[in-house]
Amino acid sequence: MADPLLLNPHSYDPAHLDAESRRLLRATVDFFESRGKKALIDTYIDREWYADFLEFAAKEGLFATFLTPAADGDGDKRWDTARNAALSEILGFYGLGYWYVWQVTVLGLGPVWQSANAEARAHAARLLDDGHVMAFGLSERTHGADIYATDMILTPDGEGGFRATGPKYYIGNGNVAGLVSVFGRRADIEGPEGYVFFAADSRHENYHLVKNVVNAQMYVSEFRLEDYPVRQRDVLHTGPAAFDAALNTVNVGKFNLCTAAIGICEHAMYEAVTHAHRRMLYGKPVTDFLHVRRELMDAYARLVAMKLFSDRAVDYFRSAGPDDRRYLLFNPMTKMKVTTEGEKVIDLLWDVIAAKGFEADTYFEKAAKDIRGLPKLEGTVHVNLALILKFMPNYLFRPAEFAPVPTRHDAADDEFLFRQGPARGLGKIQFHDWRAAYDKYAELPNVAVFREQADGFCALLATHAPDEAQQRDLDFLLSLGQLFALIVYGQLICEQAEATGLEAEVLDEIFAILVRDFSAYATELHGKAATTEEQAAWALAHVRRPVIDQMRAAAVWERVVALCGAYEMRP
């Protein structure tokens, strides 16, 4: 019997979605399954471009249906975060490269769908209908994550348009994109008023593709524009609105990092458990060794936690509006926390299967490499932790009243995501009381222990808050950020557990891990050079041992071992 918490292509049916979404998602699974594992692996090793996948997507209208807002399309076209998350998980399950070509298309469309330029919007919709992919031309080699700085210079041409010259780096799909949303600045206007977002075409003679900067199947381009003509109809945003469009696009598009990590880990989990349980060592299955069981159970619990948090975050994205911007905290959480948890899952599995994880004919060998790119390249951990800290005072100490956020699987267009407004005021965003989610599971031993740690963290900030020097010490603040992130993580896990009726033993096993993780980060805080004696004493006082329950562990182990042979990709 398939585990209901994990994606299994053999039984996959997203019955919670509408008929056309179900058909397209199932068709995507069937495309990969009929293609088989050998083709999946060979094209990865040979770094072969995904022409067959893109041909399938174009034929089915997959990207056009999922990525065209209702206002710009017809029929089943809409921007629906629930089904987009489901597709991201499927694509991650079969390989990061397939997810990446979709993900970068999402990002490339962000500035377009936020634009009031009707001509550019109609052009993008036609390109999607024709099966094109898009690109997001924001980052540059010299400036990296510093998007305030750009060497893409637009010089007015005297006819209402511009000539653009400059480089872009780490731009996915830059080899074939029908539309590249490019961020630059005017030569004649200083500061934010000079920012411009415009649409370019990778097929234009003044668009020069330099190279693929990574050794991979995906194409992560370096390109350069030389005297590229930017007509008025190509301009998407100007001034501070262009900068807002960049950040708001990241809010929408990089949420998908979490579901990519989940898909990768699910496929790797099936492969690892099947190998370990069938492998005999010293006359018994490898899974009879207690350390192996612990690592597999930890990997399973962490993976389920990733899914619970991410699924619940979808509801906040879909229910967002001008007066409810809580999603802006949960977005960096998915980029940072869920993706780093994915790394931990793969590491735990790798410790179990050891040399098998290096073999070329396994999915795992690809997963072990690709999982690293999500938190390091796409969702830089320290940047997102610093962002998360902006929300901490209101989240912990100043709760507000909000109507309950329901589960959002309805076939609605998430149009607010393209009118988010100015990308500022994060510290003013309010949240409902985080304690309420924990209170509903107060009887679970490890939820109770973790709640003690969380309450202790609030007491630390109230009595021994960071002084001015510590507030300028990012290394110190990042340790605080990790502790805070665990509280946010646990809240949405509890909310989703309630919504789905998750078994108590699985939830308590997840919180046994969160108790250990909190203790580890508290120990790290204790050792920081900037930590005061009072803060260090608090840290050691909040190291806790999770409550051990052999019956709970046995129940979770039964779920893990049931994954053996539950899914194996057709050769």
Side-chain angles (χ1 to χ4, degrees):
M1 180 178 172
D3 189 312
L5 300 178
L6 303 186
L7 188 159
N8 187 328
H10 294 338
S11 57
Y12 182 71
D13 178 18
H16 58 288
L17 299 176
D18 64 281
E20 180 61 6
S21 299
R22 291 169 70 184
R23 186 192 72 78
L24 284 169
L25 292 168
R26 185 65 240 182
T28 303
V29 169
D30 291 343
F31 165 79
F32 285 106
E33 289 296 320
S34 62
R35 203 161 158 257
K37 186 174 184 179
K38 185 176 188 304
L40 190 79
I41 288 173
D42 287 349
T43 53
Y44 183 100
I45 292 172
D46 295 338
R47 295 172 295 168
E48 183 180 318
W49 180 247
Y50 341 93
D52 55 348
F53 169 64
L54 294 179
E55 181 180 344
F56 156 80
K59 176 176 173 290
E60 294 288 346
L62 180 63
F63 289 9
T65 302
F66 278 38
L67 297 183
T68 306
D72 297 275
D74 53 17
D76 292 294
K77 292 176 181 174
R78 65 181 184 275
W79 196 283
D80 178 334
T81 304
R83 70 178 185 179
N84 286 357
L87 180 57
S88 290
E89 182 180 358
I90 290 169
L91 296 178
F93 189 95
Y94 290 106
L96 185 68
Y98 301 99
W99 169 85
Y100 186 73
V101 75
W102 144 269
Q103 158 72 5
V104 179
T105 299
V106 170
L107 291 169
L109 289 166
V112 180
W113 299 144
Q114 292 176 69
S115 177
N117 184 335
E119 190 171 353
R121 293 171 67 102
H123 177 58
R126 286 192 299 271
L127 288 171
L128 284 170
D129 284 338
D130 292 341
H132 287 274
V133 295
M134 314 300 173
F136 186 53
L138 182 63
S139 64
E140 298 175 14
R141 187 173 195 173
T142 304
H143 303 296
D146 179 10
I147 63 174
Y148 292 93
T150 174
D151 295 326
M152 179 64 69
I153 307 301
L154 288 86
T155 304
D157 63 5
E159 298 177 0
F162 304 92
R163 289 283 173 165
T165 298
K168 290 292 176 180
Y169 199 75
Y170 263 105
I171 311 302
N173 296 351
N175 55 325
V176 297
L179 186 151
V180 185
S181 296
V182 182
F183 184 75
R185 60 183 172 88
R186 293 178 58 153
D188 58 332
I189 300 178
E190 294 291 329
E193 293 298 329
Y195 290 143
V196 180
F197 236 125
F198 63 95
D201 187 338
S202 69
R203 297 163 294 183
H204 194 280
E205 62 183 1
N206 293 35
Y207 178 106
H208 301 287
L209 185 65
V210 179
K211 63 180 179 180
N212 188 354
V213 302
V214 299
N215 180 25
Q217 185 179 12
M218 64 182 67
Y219 202 104
V220 186
S221 69
E222 177 184 2
F223 71 81
R224 182 173 181 83
L225 302 186
E226 291 286 355
D227 202 34
Y228 186 99
V230 179
R231 301 153 299 182
Q232 193 57 42
R233 67 174 182 264
D234 300 321
V235 176
L236 303 172
H237 304 273
T238 60
F243 184 78
D244 290 338
L247 294 184
N248 290 337
T249 293
V250 169
N251 291 337
V252 175
K254 294 209 172 184
F255 174 75
N256 294 325
L257 271 64
C258 62
T259 38
I262 289 165
I264 291 170
C265 290
E266 286 171 319
H267 197 153
M269 185 94 196
Y270 286 119
E271 199 172 64
V273 172
T274 299
H275 170 74
H277 194 58
R278 290 176 177 172
R279 182 165 175 76
M280 302 297 292
L281 199 60
Y282 307 118
K284 58 184 178 179
V286 166
T287 49
D288 279 4
F289 294 96
L290 292 182
H291 69 289
V292 167
R293 290 196 176 196
R294 179 190 61 79
E295 288 177 317
L296 291 177
M297 287 169 61
D298 274 12
Y300 176 81
R302 288 187 187 275
L303 175 53
V304 171
M306 292 163 64
K307 293 201 72 169
L308 293 169
F309 182 90
S310 301
D311 286 349
R312 185 56 176 154
V314 166
D315 300 332
Y316 284 93
F317 266 78
R318 305 201 71 198
S319 301
D323 299 320
D324 184 356
R325 302 170 70 206
R326 288 174 287 178
Y327 73 102
L328 291 175
L329 166 59
F330 305 137
N331 184 50
M333 282 289 300
T334 60
K335 290 189 289 177
M336 179 279 296
K337 184 64 180 175
V338 177
T339 59
T340 53
E341 285 296 294
E343 287 193 289
K344 291 177 183 177
V345 169
I346 294 297
D347 287 343
L348 286 163
L349 297 175
W350 208 349
D351 280 349
V352 171
I353 66 171
K356 186 70 176 178
F358 290 92
E359 294 181 10
D361 61 353
T362 64
Y363 174 87
F364 194 95
E365 188 257 352
K366 289 80 188 159
K369 174 186 175 184
D370 290 343
I371 197 70
R372 313 299 165 187
L374 294 169
K376 292 176 174 61
L377 291 177
E378 291 293 310
T380 316
V381 170
H382 66 274
V383 171
N384 284 289
L385 268 175
L387 180 59
I388 286 165
L389 285 167
K390 294 178 183 292
F391 301 94
M392 187 164 68
N394 274 358
Y395 178 93
L396 291 176
F397 298 111
R398 292 187 282 274
E401 291 294 325
F402 287 90
V405 172
T407 298
R408 293 293 310 276
H409 294 153
D410 48 307
D413 188 60
D414 300 338
E415 50 85 27
F416 172 73
L417 298 178
F418 300 111
R419 55 177 182 89
Q420 296 175 61
R424 57 178 181 268
L426 301 184
K428 297 179 181 179
I429 294 173
Q430 290 190 287
F431 300 84
H432 60 297
D433 193 341
W434 58 273
R435 298 169 183 83
Y438 288 95
D439 288 344
K440 293 182 177 172
Y441 291 101
E443 77 285 356
L444 291 183
N446 286 303
V447 175
V449 174
F450 185 81
R451 173 64 188 275
E452 289 178 13
Q453 292 175 309
D455 287 337
F457 184 70
C458 293
L460 169 70
L461 296 178
T463 57
H464 303 294
D467 59 29
E468 289 187 14
Q470 288 174 325
Q471 291 178 39
R472 294 191 298 270
D473 184 340
L474 187 57
D475 184 51
F476 174 83
L477 290 176
L478 291 180
S479 290
L480 284 184
Q482 292 284 12
L483 292 165
F484 172 53
L486 283 172
I487 299 172
V488 180
Y489 199 54
Q491 177 206 329
L492 263 61
I493 288 170
C494 285
E495 289 184 9
Q496 189 65 7
E498 182 186 18
T500 58
L502 182 72
E503 292 86 348
E505 63 265 19
V506 178
L507 184 61
D508 205 45
E509 189 70 20
I510 289 170
F511 271 88
I513 290 172
L514 296 189
V515 168
R516 296 194 331 243
D517 287 353
F518 192 99
S519 298
Y521 288 126
T523 304
E524 181 180 300
L525 179 67
H526 176 271
K528 293 292 180 185
T531 302
T532 66
E533 289 299 323
E534 293 83 2
Q535 292 164 341
W538 173 90
L540 288 186
H542 286 80
V543 172
R544 294 282 192 278
R545 183 171 185 253
V547 177
I548 307 302
D549 184 332
Q550 297 299 336
M551 291 182 64
R552 180 192 74 225
V556 174
W557 173 246
E558 287 305 312
R559 300 180 74 108
V560 175
V561 77
L563 299 178
C564 176
Y567 168 75
E568 294 180 82
M569 193 172 183
R570 190 180 70 84

